[in-house]
């Protein structure tokens, strides 16, 4: 076979380690673990050192000569205190840099009132079980006093001064017993007596305390709906039992309209979430049903997922903005528009609103109209309309919005500037006779007619002997402008002579 591996000679200190991780065993026993350096413990002088610091102190306790195993067991950390840890590796060439500090570890309060000895001091456990619900006991076989031992009785309790809480009889000669159905992270005391055909021996003294292992958090209750909005849901849940250990966070699974949770999205929480037990999820779809599951995460482990909660439905929301708004035609006093129907969030579009303004941002409307809808419109359907009764020559901008039961949606981006098609001038004011003789009239008219988008450049005159103007005679030539725009409107004049008697 291959020759045995020879360790490399140590020429430099180990590299810096990552921050250690706290893995509690129960309320009294804590393991601190870390990842060994890449070089590994190749020489006999390799060892680890650990700094322990209480959050209320600036000083550190140094634990040296830990050995080559990348973990250390600490017993008796003070309940209710928060501790931080950092580690470094040492070899014959020196020591590495200290690692970063671990996350703070809050030592939990015991789940029971601890027994006290004769001096009144609390009795901490000296050993811990690897099981959360059982403890294996072993003892020496006593002298049988001439009659074979046929079994043992075992008693256990939380406090020796209060007496036993349970008695177990084992009719077997083996000198060990696994005591089951115990509480996680609890401290127990035990005593044994032997049995033979003559009777029972005296009870042994109570053992030192033995603690069961802590377990991860229990399964939380399903989340409950706190508040529902059109695009967000706020949910809440209660904190599960966690053997007194601080919860690090909660994880959630979120599924949209799938109660099976097969394609659920995993949302990982943080420390704040562990304190609040509430979460608001944003950017959800309006009028959709959502399902949730939650699990608790602690240093002792992670719980199973809760039962599925829901469906929790988001509320309705106004439609999105219309798209692709364009001008299709620009006729006299009317403008044609075309646009695409928007996402309406599962609500039928009842109508559209078109508005127009001389302001690109449409802050002051010149007018608006409704465009009725006769049937459900899929997203992206083409919608056309004609805006009537527009004043010729106006420079306008148009936009459009959809209306559903939830309200008016956002208005679309406005069109470019539209100059409404020009029209013939409006009706002028009646002419006024300023002077008259036997055969002459001097007629004047003020330039007050609507221009309808194009400047008035002349006025024409006609006359008749009857007011109905059924046989009106056109006067040759346009009226003459005798006053330009100044203090008032322009003034046009015509001298009409040689009239019939």
């Amino acid at each position: 076979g291959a020759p045995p591996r020879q360790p490399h000679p140590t020429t430099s200190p180990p590299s810096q380690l990552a921050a250690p991780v706290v893995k509690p065993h129960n309320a009294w026993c804590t393991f601190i673990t870390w990842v060994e350096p890449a070089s590994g413990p190749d020489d006999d002088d390799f060892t680890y050192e650990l700094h322990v610091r209480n959050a209320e102190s600036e000083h550190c306790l140094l634990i040296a000569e830990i050995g080559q195993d990348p973990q250390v067991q600490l017993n008796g950390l003070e309940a209710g205190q928060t501790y931080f840890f950092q580690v470094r590796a040492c070899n014959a060439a020196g020591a590495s840099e200290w690692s970063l500090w671990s996350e703070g570890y809050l030592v939990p309060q015991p789940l029971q009132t601890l027994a006290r000895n004769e001096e009144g001091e609390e009795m901490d456990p000296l050993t811990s079980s690897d099981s959360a619900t059982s403890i294996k006991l072993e003892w020496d076989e006593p002298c049988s006093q001439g009659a074979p031992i046929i079994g043992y009785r075992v008693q256990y309790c939380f406090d020796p001064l209060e007496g036993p809480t349970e008695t177990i009889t084992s009719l077997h000669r083996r000198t060990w017993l696994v005591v089951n159905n115990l509480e996680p992270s609890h401290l127990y005391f035990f005593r044994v007596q032997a049995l033979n055909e003559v009777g029972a021996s005296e009870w042994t003294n109570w053992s030192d305390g033995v603690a069961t292992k802590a377990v991860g958090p229990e399964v939380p209750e399903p989340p409950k709906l706190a508040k529902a909005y059109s695009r967000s849901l706020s949910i809440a849940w209660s904190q599960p039992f966690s053997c007194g250990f601080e919860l690090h966070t909660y994880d959630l699974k979120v599924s949209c309209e799938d109660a099976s949770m097969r394609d659920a999205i995993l949302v990982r929480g943080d420390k704040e979430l562990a304190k609040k037990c509430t979460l608001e999820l944003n950017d959800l779809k309006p009028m959709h049903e959502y399902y949730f599951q939650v699990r608790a995460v602690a240093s002792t482990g992670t719980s199973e997922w809760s039962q599925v909660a829901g469906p929790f439905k988001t509320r309705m929301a106004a439609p999105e903005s219309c798209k692709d708004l364009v001008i299709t035609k620009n006729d006299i006093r009317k403008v044609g528009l075309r646009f695409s129907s928007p996402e309406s969030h599962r609500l039928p579009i009842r109508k559209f609103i078109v508005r127009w303004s001389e302001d690109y941002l449409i802050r002051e409307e010149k007018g608006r109209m409704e465009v009725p809808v006769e049937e459900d419109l899929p997203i992206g359907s083409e919608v056309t309309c004609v805006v009537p009764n527009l004043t010729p020559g106006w420079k306008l901008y148009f936009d459009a919005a959809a209306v559903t039961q939830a309200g008016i949606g956002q208005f679309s981006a406005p069109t470019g500037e539209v100059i409404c098609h020009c029209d013939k001038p409006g009706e002028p004011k009646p002419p006024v006779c300023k002077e008259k003789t036997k055969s002459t009239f001097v007629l004047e008219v003020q330039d007050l007619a609507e221009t309808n988008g194009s400047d008035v450049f002349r006025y024409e005159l006609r006359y008749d002997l009857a007011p109905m103007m059924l046989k009106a005679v056109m006067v040759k030539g346009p009226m003459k402008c005798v006053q330009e725009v100044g203090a008032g409107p322009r003034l046009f004049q015509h001298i009409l002579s040689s009239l019939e008697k």
Side-chain angles (χ1 to χ4, degrees), residues 214-231:
V215 294
E218 292 184 351
V219 179
E221 292 294 320
K224 296 181 180 180
L225 179 65
K227 291 182 181 179
Y229 305 94
S230 59
R231 298 179 186 275

Side-chain angles (χ1 to χ4, degrees), residues 11 17-18 68 70 87 91 109 117 161 173 176 183 242 263 295 326 341 367 381 386 401-402 409 484 491:
T11 58
L17 304 180
Q68 298 186 353
V87 65
N91 61 20
Q109 297 288 348
N117 58 23
L161 296 180
R173 293 192 60 183
W176 60 270
E183 296 291 329
S242 59
D263 298 320
R295 69 181 180 188
V326 295
S341 61
S381 298
V386 175
E484 293 294 340
L491 186 66

